Amino acid sequence: MKTLIGLSKLRAFLALALGLTLAFSAAAAEAKRKIIIDQDAFGPASSNLQAILMLMQAPDVEVLGITVTSGDGWRDEEVGHLLRLLEIAGRTEIPVYAGAVFPLVNTQARNKLWEQLYGPLYYKGAWTEVWPDQGALQRSPYHDPFLVPPSPAGTPKLKVQKESAANFLVRKVHEFPGQVTVWAGGPLSNLAVAAALDPQFAALAKELVFMGGSFNPIAADNAFAAEYINAPRREFNMRWDPEAASIVLHQPWPKILQVPVDPTTKTFFKPEFFKEIAKGKAPFDDYLVKYGQSFPMWDELAAAVWLDPSIITQSSTVLEDVDTSFSASYGTTLSWAVGAGPGLGERPVQAVLDIDLPKFEQMTIDLLSWPKR
């Protein structure tokens, strides 16, 4: 009789434990932070793709999809790099959506005219005909926007979704109102198109997090930061599509978090980081070790401050816009103190100005080393 009672109690305990486990699992799934990644996903490896990997690896994050725009490279080539990365990472369940090929207004011809008037641009992304001598060995030569050169990482079998990036962005914020973080690591073209399609788009999102803009960066001891000595407020993501950036910054986002160039100039993906990553068990570690290059950690930092805001040591809230006049300051960052703007719909932006560098570096290595999440 005692044995039967003991077995009954054991069964009840196991049932309770199983119920609690399922409840906790369900709660954990619900608690995951929903994110859409909008990126100019140039590769192989690169700051762009390493940031995507960090966001995918975070255990408390659900990546609803990745939308791609031209910027560092042309959209279709970037889509190929991203699809191949998802195959290597074993994350083929994450859908990819193609977005803007060209900026809203800016063109290569306008760029060339601007350079005749105001001097050469240091970096022009997909329009760069001769790459700066920065030791970047994996760049494909300048090519037509719709040509997709073979990638050294291989050709993906995974396909891009048929739905457009802008439609996907709008659909998802309606599906999960107030829950979706829109994270942008490249030019803001796709977000501007989404805002034009649906004026509720930004208001229905949880927040916007973006890498771009520049205030007063300190030129660090590397070639990548030298361009800011004479043009401290000119940054590529905003300069590629200034009109899109201005439109997006005037949308009614509940919250905007910005990682400008300023805190990134002291970051650098050191060669020894790849040695540490090689010791890990992530399925893409061999890929990173083979194709990774040393650049400032622009997009990795934008991923990290959203994943763990405790790495932020200094920030400032400003009103912000981007100059769209075809002048010497075209595409540069404009800012005002809260309450002191021109009153044309500028939104408050929390701009990250400094970070805990050792904590950020370790966080990056950890996320890029862990087994598949």
Side-chain angles (χ1 to χ4, degrees):
M1 185 68 177
K2 288 182 179 180
T3 302
L4 290 174
I5 292 172
L7 287 172
S8 177
K9 287 182 177 180
L10 177 61
R11 290 192 187 100
F13 173 78
L14 291 174
L16 176 62
L18 177 61
L20 289 172
T21 300
L22 293 173
F24 282 129
S25 297
E30 291 177 5
K32 283 193 173 186
R33 295 186 286 171
K34 294 177 171 57
I35 188 172
I36 296 174
I37 301 171
D38 185 71
Q39 181 67 294
D40 53 342
F42 199 81
S46 81
S47 178
N48 300 347
L49 295 183
Q50 284 158 193
I52 291 174
L53 288 171
M54 290 171 66
L55 293 167
M56 292 195 310
Q57 284 282 91
D60 65 337
V61 172
E62 178 186 359
V63 179
L64 299 176
I66 305 173
T67 55
V68 181
T69 180
S70 293
D72 284 333
W74 292 115
R75 181 202 67 183
D76 292 351
E77 182 180 4
E78 294 173 339
V79 165
H81 286 302
L82 175 57
L83 293 174
R84 182 63 186 134
L85 176 66
L86 293 177
E87 290 177 342
I88 292 169
R91 297 301 302 272
T92 56
E93 81 283 2
I94 297 176
V96 175
Y97 301 83
V101 177
F102 303 107
L104 301 186
V105 175
N106 199 19
T107 64
Q108 187 172 29
R110 281 168 58 89
N111 256 11
K112 289 183 176 180
L113 175 59
W114 188 94
E115 289 180 300
Q116 290 174 18
L117 296 170
Y118 305 113
L121 289 165
Y122 181 77
Y123 176 67
K124 293 175 280 190
W127 284 321
T128 304
E129 295 173 338
V130 179
W131 294 108
D133 184 15
Q134 298 173 332
L137 303 178
Q138 304 296 339
R139 300 297 313 226
S140 56
Y142 175 79
H143 59 80
D144 177 87
F146 298 101
L147 174 69
V148 180
S151 169
T155 301
K157 296 180 180 178
L158 187 65
K159 301 299 182 182
V160 69
Q161 301 296 309
K162 293 183 179 180
E163 185 179 15
S164 72
N167 280 333
F168 170 75
L169 285 158
V170 170
R171 178 167 62 84
K172 280 300 175 181
V173 297
H174 278 272
E175 184 178 346
F176 301 107
Q179 300 177 58
V180 180
T181 293
V182 178
W183 184 96
L188 301 179
S189 311
N190 288 339
L191 309 191
V193 176
L197 285 176
D198 183 1
Q200 292 184 298
F201 164 63
L204 286 172
K206 180 179 180 180
E207 60 190 342
L208 168 66
V209 179
F210 77 98
M211 191 280 138
S214 180
F215 296 96
N216 189 30
I218 297 172
D221 187 22
N222 65 67
F224 301 93
E227 63 178 300
Y228 304 111
I229 295 173
N230 297 310
R233 292 216 162 199
R234 185 189 304 152
E235 181 275 331
F236 170 73
N237 283 346
M238 304 295 99
R239 181 59 178 72
W240 171 266
D241 196 345
E243 288 75 17
S246 181
I247 289 169
V248 170
L249 286 169
H250 284 81
Q251 298 303 307
W253 304 95
K255 177 184 176 184
I256 304 176
L257 177 66
Q258 173 189 16
V259 176
V261 162
D262 303 52
T264 72
T265 58
K266 69 179 184 180
T267 69
F268 208 69
F269 212 103
K270 303 169 187 173
E272 53 263 37
F273 291 177
F274 292 109
K275 294 179 182 179
E276 288 298 313
I277 289 170
K279 301 174 184 177
K281 296 181 179 180
F284 48 78
D285 284 347
D286 289 344
Y287 165 92
L288 291 182
V289 172
K290 185 174 182 178
Y291 299 113
Q293 300 170 74
S294 293
F295 292 101
M297 299 162 73
W298 300 292
D299 292 3
E300 293 97 332
L301 184 56
V305 299
W306 180 71
L307 291 171
D308 184 3
S310 71
I311 70 171
I312 301 171
T313 59
Q314 182 184 356
S315 66
S316 178
T317 300
V318 296
L319 301 179
E320 191 169 337
D321 199 354
V322 173
D323 193 334
T324 57
S325 65
F326 196 71
S327 64
S329 61
Y330 182 56
T332 59
T333 305
L334 306 174
S335 63
W336 304 266
V338 175
L344 298 175
E346 304 83 19
R347 310 294 299 178
V349 175
Q350 181 190 359
V352 177
L353 300 178
D354 204 359
I355 49 106
D356 183 332
L357 182 60
K359 186 174 183 179
F360 163 56
E361 291 177 338
Q362 190 59 56
M363 177 184 180
T364 301
I365 292 170
D366 289 345
L367 283 169
L368 296 179
S369 303
W370 287 340
K372 175 184 172 183
R373 291 293 170 129

